[in-house]
Amino acid sequence: MELLELIIEYHKDNERQGPGSKEATLKALSYIPYLNEKTKILDIGCGTGGQTITIGKNTGAQITAVDMLPQFLEKLMKKAKENNLINRIAAKEMLMDNLTFEENSFDVIWSEGAIYNIGFEKGLSLWRKYLKDDGYIAISEISWLTGTRPEEIEQYWVNAYPEIDTIENKLSVIDKCGYTSIAHFTLDDKCWIDNYYQPLLENAEAFLKKYDYADEVKKFIEQVKLKPTCIIVLRIITAMYFIAQGKIVV
C-alpha cells in the first residue's frame, strides 16, 4: 500500500486525526460572540469531524466542512446524521490551498491541527479573503513553549515543520496576515495522549493483523509507535489555540 493509503485507513475510524478535545473546542468557541442560526462557519481540514460535531451541537450555525479526503468526509457525515446535524453540516471535498468559495462568505473560519499542511502564514493569508471583515478565525498550531530547546529536539521539529516557532512569533504572523489576536491558550496533555496517540496505539495490532503483517505496514506502525516519545517534550512543544478577528479593511 502507498503511504497515503495507510494513513487514511489507520486514521479514518478515529474521532480525531490530531491533538484536541471537546473542551478545547468549546473554550475556543467561548471567545467568539454572536453565534446563532445565521452564523456561517467554515471548518478547514475537518478530518472525520471531531470538532465539527462539537461546534454543531453547541451552536445553531451553518457549517461547511472541507477536507481533501472523501473517506474522512464520509465518516463526518455519518456522525452528522447520528447527531441530527445533517441539515446544518455540509461536506465539501477541496484542497485547503485551493478553496472555491466567494470572498467575505464566512463569519468564522475554524481549523484544528490542519493548517500546518500548507503552512501557518500561507493558510492565514489565503483564507483571510473568505472571512468577513469582522469575522473570527480559530486555529490550532504546533508551537514552541520555551525560548531554547535541546538541539536534537529542535532539529527534528524544524526538519518536520520549518514554520514551527514561538508563541510570540506566531502572534506576529497573525497580525501580519490581517487579523487582530483575541486570545490564545495551550492544549493540555490529554489532547495529545488520551485523544490522539493512545487510540492510535490501541488500534495497532488489529491494523497489522488486517494487512497480514505486511512489511510496509509494520514499518508504518513502528513510526506511529515512536510518536508517544513526544510526551517527553510536551513541556517544550505543544499545540496552541489562536483566536483572532479579521481586521476591518478601509
Side-chain angles (χ1 to χ4, degrees):
M1 294 182 72
E2 296 293 330
L3 179 59
L4 180 58
E5 292 178 288
L6 287 171
I7 292 172
I8 293 169
E9 285 299 311
Y10 197 55
H11 285 82
K12 71 178 184 179
D13 292 322
N14 290 339
E15 181 179 357
R16 297 185 177 277
Q17 287 70 52
S21 69
K22 175 183 176 181
E23 292 78 12
T25 299
L26 291 176
K27 183 174 181 178
L29 269 177
S30 72
Y31 292 104
I32 302 176
Y34 314 122
L35 297 175
N36 54 48
E37 67 279 357
K38 294 181 179 180
T39 302
K40 293 183 179 180
I41 298 177
L42 176 61
D43 185 4
I44 302 175
C46 63
T48 61
Q51 71 290 332
T52 321
I53 298 301
T54 297
I55 295 168
K57 291 173 71 174
N58 289 275
T59 72
Q62 298 295 319
I63 303 169
T64 302
V66 171
D67 203 280
M68 65 176 283
L69 299 174
Q71 299 93 331
F72 287 178
L73 295 175
E74 182 181 348
K75 294 287 184 178
L76 163 61
M77 294 313 293
K78 181 179 179 182
K79 294 178 186 177
K81 185 176 181 179
E82 291 170 350
N83 286 276
N84 297 316
L85 295 170
I86 199 73
N87 293 325
R88 291 201 289 113
I89 295 177
K92 303 286 186 182
E93 184 181 341
M94 282 187 200
L95 297 174
M96 62 174 63
D97 58 353
N98 191 27
L99 302 176
T100 58
F101 301 108
E102 293 184 5
E103 295 186 10
N104 303 308
S105 295
F106 295 96
D107 303 287
V108 179
I109 290 177
W110 207 275
S111 186
E112 288 195 14
I115 196 171
Y116 77 92
N117 285 292
I118 60 172
F120 190 65
E121 184 169 346
K122 180 179 180 180
L124 287 172
S125 297
L126 283 177
W127 301 344
R128 177 63 186 86
K129 63 185 176 184
Y130 303 113
L131 187 68
K132 296 177 183 178
D133 282 343
D134 58 349
Y136 290 81
I137 189 165
I139 291 177
S140 63
E141 163 77 343
I142 197 163
S143 308
W144 295 122
L145 287 177
T146 59
T148 59
R149 282 75 54 183
E151 183 177 351
E152 182 180 0
I153 292 172
E154 176 148 11
Q155 195 59 50
Y156 171 83
W157 282 102
V158 167
N159 289 337
Y161 183 44
E163 280 196 58
I164 189 169
D165 212 332
T166 61
I167 296 166
E168 181 181 359
N169 287 340
K170 292 291 184 183
L171 291 171
S172 294
V173 172
I174 289 171
D175 180 73
K176 175 184 175 183
C177 293
Y179 307 87
T180 299
S181 178
I182 301 298
H184 60 276
F185 60 89
T186 60
L187 272 67
D188 61 23
D189 293 2
K190 175 185 174 182
C191 293
W192 287 86
I193 302 167
D194 297 353
N195 296 350
Y196 180 46
Y197 289 143
Q198 194 58 41
L200 291 178
L201 294 178
E202 290 173 356
N203 292 338
E205 183 60 29
F207 194 74
L208 284 166
K209 186 176 181 180
K210 178 179 178 180
Y211 292 100
D212 200 27
Y213 298 89
D215 289 341
E216 66 268 26
V217 178
K218 287 194 287 186
K219 183 178 179 180
F220 172 74
I221 292 297
E222 284 306 311
Q223 290 299 314
V224 172
K225 288 182 177 179
L226 287 174
K227 286 185 176 183
T229 60
C230 292
I231 295 168
I232 299 170
V233 300
L234 282 177
R235 296 296 174 265
I236 298 173
I237 187 173
T238 190
M240 290 291 303
Y241 234 117
F242 296 97
I243 301 93
Q245 187 173 22
K247 294 178 181 177
I248 297 176
V249 178
V250 294

